[in-house]
Amino acid sequence: MMPIWTKSGKKHAVTLLKVQDCHVLRYVSKEESGGKTSKLLVGGKNGSPFSKSESAMEIFKEAGVPRKQKVTTFNVTDDALIKPGTPLYAAHFRPGQFVDVTAKTIGKGFQGVMKRWGFKGQPASHGQTKTHRRPGAISTNKASKVYRGKKMPGKMGNIYRTSFGLKVWRINTKHDIIYVNGSVPGHTNCLVKVRDSKLPTCKDSNKNPPFPTFFADGDEKLPEDLYDEEVFQFTDPSVTYT
Amino acid sequence: RVNSDGKPAKFQPPPKPVIIDKQKQREERRFLSPEFIPPRGRTDPLKFYIERKDMIQRRKVFSIPEFCVGHILAVTTADPYANDKASRFVGICIQRGGKGLGATFVLRNVIEDQGVEICYELYNPRIQAIEVLKLEKRLDDNLMYLRDALPEYSTFDVNMKPVSRLDHEEIPVNKLQVRMKPKPWSKRWERPKYNIKGIKFELPGKKMKEAQKWSQPWLEFDMLREYDTSKIEEKIWKEVSEELKK
């Protein structure tokens, strides 16, 4: 994570996400998947082909792509389909867009009810016998049962969670890095799924994105760094107020 | 000329002049700002490389002088609520923290009997100028104990003129032993974990001996805590100096 300053002098914290060897793997049509839209399978970081079975490696062989460590699905409209085997780059996103980021949270193991659910526990002294971090009562007398989903101790973390509506401040096309506002679930160097935001307030800002995606061998030549309009670039002189 | 024996003295050539090459001395002194050194961790080195590029880019536009803890600095920042839209603060640097673009330094001064500390970010674009008024190293790396010292040790004149010094001289070390206010202090500075050499402890010997109970003499031999930065520093120094010369 890094600080980033706007032209008005405000500081925002930014997470760096690297797009590492992303390729489109397969196209699944609407009827095949049974959903409302067709899907595209996309694979992430490269890995060794020897630890997977032959049947699992078929997808990668068809697309002509080395084995990927993470495969995700994106729901895609029919006019935005991409041929399997095309590489995807960070320039697919542009500064000023809003983005949802999904990843597996940091695993904390088996945790008690105070850390997992934020219960208050009991006082440390004044006669409490062996009861300082326990949940206390778990149900009422009238119910005479414990409801499903009762908050209790258990394995915490290591589940998929999404942070919604994160603004993209800056894109580095040379190293394929996306600078995303705020924090993102997951530990450092973990695999992450980045998707256009589906929040209703962010619909207007996703205007004129590269459609269906940014092709590196196309005619567009982008500069090494793409900045949002409000971002203070370090080539400018210091900020002054008039 | 005649010797004491009466024989004529043998010709003695004059002593050879000693040439002090000041340029060589100046080159030998390398100062790499501590925020360039990446902390130990599992982060990708690419992230530090990109941060360093941004830091060098900022340094090309705005010169950040080399300074240490103990130097007296004057910082002018852009302030939308001030009269001239700029505010100037003079103080002694008591601590330098943070790595990369978020590096900070804390300046302390006593203004009208009120101690004031301001934490500035080195790479904040609102900073207009950083001037070093007096170069002076102290015995410690962290002068947080000035909060519990008598206020005279933290007062510095706001309109102080920069002290002139030659380029090739070494930075002088001020071996000042600071007198403290009566206890309680914000931290127990007599304990060996802070390793402070710049305080004149006027505590009874019994208290000093009791403080040594918290010493951890095995820490310096702990191999897992070792972080040798000499090679990393050299590489980064070469990279940074080459980029800045361009």
Side-chain angles (χ1 to χ4, degrees):
Chain A
M1 284 193 75
M2 255 212 306
I4 210 171
W5 285 275
T6 56
K7 289 194 171 138
S8 55
K10 269 196 161 177
K11 181 167 104 153
H12 297 269
V14 147
T15 315
L16 308 195
L17 304 175
K18 179 159 166 81
V19 177
Q20 207 166 13
D21 320 313
C22 287
H23 285 93
V24 177
L25 295 179
R26 205 210 280 177
Y27 157 66
V28 177
S29 62
K30 211 183 337 182
E31 297 80 38
E32 226 180 294
S33 64
K36 290 186 194 169
T37 49
S38 42
K39 297 191 210 281
L40 277 180
L41 284 176
V42 171
K45 194 165 141 186
N46 286 347
S48 97
F50 299 112
S51 41
K52 278 271 179 176
S53 52
E54 279 291 320
S55 50
M57 288 290 290
E58 273 175 18
I59 310 176
F60 304 114
K61 278 184 193 160
E62 272 173 58
V65 135
R67 178 240 158 148
K68 302 290 181 187
Q69 292 210 349
K70 189 166 176 64
V71 176
T72 46
T73 42
F74 287 90
N75 289 340
V76 162
T77 45
D78 283 322
D79 52 348
L81 294 176
I82 310 172
K83 186 176 168 185
T86 44
L88 299 173
Y89 298 99
H92 176 95
F93 296 102
R94 288 298 151 92
Q97 266 189 310
F98 286 84
V99 136
D100 292 340
V101 177
T102 315
K104 268 201 170 173
T105 48
I106 299 178
K108 314 260 175 181
F110 195 102
Q111 287 300 338
V113 107
M114 273 178 86
K115 192 182 191 74
R116 195 175 182 212
W117 300 112
F119 283 16
K120 274 182 81 178
Q122 287 83 27
S125 73
H126 288 301
Q128 311 289 326
T129 39
K130 299 166 27 171
T131 321
H132 307 289
R133 300 183 65 94
R134 299 182 75 190
I138 54 177
S139 189
T140 49
N141 182 26
K142 201 169 177 191
S144 23
K145 69 166 188 176
V146 176
Y147 294 113
R148 184 172 315 150
K150 176 83 195 71
K151 293 182 179 171
M152 282 187 163
K155 289 256 164 48
M156 181 182 167
N158 202 25
I159 46 172
Y160 284 105
R161 281 288 188 255
T162 316
S163 359
F164 296 98
L166 303 179
K167 183 167 176 177
V168 171
W169 286 111
R170 179 178 160 181
I171 294 195
N172 187 317
T173 37
K174 187 177 164 196
H175 297 279
D176 277 333
I177 298 182
I178 310 174
Y179 289 59
V180 149
N181 188 33
S183 60
V184 142
H187 56 89
T188 29
N189 300 339
C190 79
L191 291 161
V192 130
K193 172 181 171 182
V194 181
R195 184 192 68 193
D196 291 325
S197 189
K198 63 174 178 52
L199 290 180
T201 45
C202 306
K203 268 188 204 165
D204 306 320
S205 23
N206 291 358
K207 43 180 176 179
N208 301 336
F211 198 77
T213 187
F214 169 75
F215 295 105
D217 48 354
D219 301 322
E220 247 189 296
K221 292 287 174 199
L222 287 177
E224 190 187 325
D225 270 307
L226 288 163
Y227 295 91
D228 187 44
E229 316 157 320
E230 291 167 45
V231 166
F232 170 80
Q233 303 181 30
F234 288 111
T235 40
D236 305 331
S238 307
V239 163
T240 41
Y241 299 103
T242 42
Chain B
R1 277 156 137 259
V2 186
N3 251 356
S4 43
D5 292 349
K7 294 177 196 162
K10 195 176 165 193
F11 170 68
Q12 296 220 317
K16 275 197 180 154
V18 181
I19 309 168
I20 309 170
D21 203 356
K22 288 185 184 164
Q23 274 200 330
K24 259 192 191 168
Q25 271 183 354
R26 219 178 295 163
E27 268 171 50
E28 272 165 21
R29 203 168 61 112
R30 306 168 149 193
F31 179 84
L32 184 66
S33 228
E35 72 263 5
F36 279 104
I37 303 161
R40 213 156 58 135
R42 292 168 72 175
T43 337
D44 204 357
L46 177 66
K47 186 243 178 184
F48 298 124
Y49 171 69
I50 289 184
E51 244 191 316
R52 244 176 289 138
K53 264 196 340 190
D54 276 338
M55 285 151 77
I56 292 169
Q57 190 53 256
R58 172 77 181 150
R59 275 179 185 249
K60 281 188 190 170
V61 173
F62 170 74
S63 68
I64 298 175
E66 47 178 73
F67 65 96
C68 284
V69 167
H71 291 203
I72 299 175
L73 307 178
V75 174
T76 24
T77 17
D79 199 352
Y81 309 111
N83 278 342
D84 298 323
K85 306 295 175 195
S87 62
R88 184 183 141 103
F89 185 74
V90 173
I92 185 170
C93 175
I94 50 177
Q95 163 180 282
R96 282 190 82 161
K99 298 279 179 210
L101 278 175
T104 55
F105 61 100
V106 182
L107 293 185
R108 181 185 166 81
N109 202 345
V110 172
I111 299 175
E112 292 179 21
D113 295 330
Q114 173 64 49
V116 177
E117 284 183 16
I118 302 188
C119 178
Y120 288 106
E121 288 153 0
L122 273 176
Y123 295 95
N124 197 332
R126 276 163 57 181
I127 295 185
Q128 315 282 340
I130 306 179
E131 306 144 17
V132 182
L133 297 177
K134 191 168 178 196
L135 282 104
E136 182 187 69
K137 264 198 201 180
R138 295 285 194 106
L139 291 166
D140 304 302
D141 248 347
N142 202 310
L143 298 178
M144 284 295 186
Y145 57 81
L146 288 180
R147 292 171 179 169
D148 300 314
L150 298 172
E152 62 194 28
Y153 294 101
S154 314
T155 32
F156 298 98
D157 183 22
V158 184
N159 304 317
M160 191 157 93
K161 295 281 163 64
V163 168
S164 59
R165 67 179 277 278
L166 302 161
D167 245 345
H168 58 270
E169 266 176 20
E170 281 197 24
I171 306 174
V173 177
N174 190 352
K175 303 202 178 168
L176 174 67
Q177 300 261 309
V178 151
R179 288 187 61 207
M180 305 291 273
K181 289 195 251 189
K183 270 206 167 196
W185 296 330
S186 58
K187 293 249 147 71
R188 291 172 223 241
W189 302 113
E190 73 274 9
R191 296 230 172 138
K193 88 169 197 191
Y194 297 108
N195 196 16
I196 291 184
K197 299 174 186 124
I199 300 184
K200 184 169 182 178
F201 292 109
E202 280 148 12
L203 301 168
K206 207 166 142 192
K207 298 261 176 177
M208 298 299 292
K209 268 185 104 178
E210 206 196 321
Q212 291 302 314
K213 267 202 300 184
W214 279 268
S215 70
Q216 296 171 309
W218 57 86
L219 266 191
E220 57 175 315
F221 302 108
D222 196 341
M223 291 176 73
L224 283 182
R225 276 174 210 260
E226 281 172 10
Y227 184 39
D228 189 22
T229 54
S230 47
K231 288 184 189 157
I232 307 172
E233 264 194 60
E234 270 196 44
K235 257 202 247 174
I236 297 179
W237 161 259
K238 266 194 216 165
E239 201 189 305
V240 169
S241 51
E242 268 166 47
E243 284 286 326
L244 283 176
K245 274 179 200 162
K246 280 186 200 169

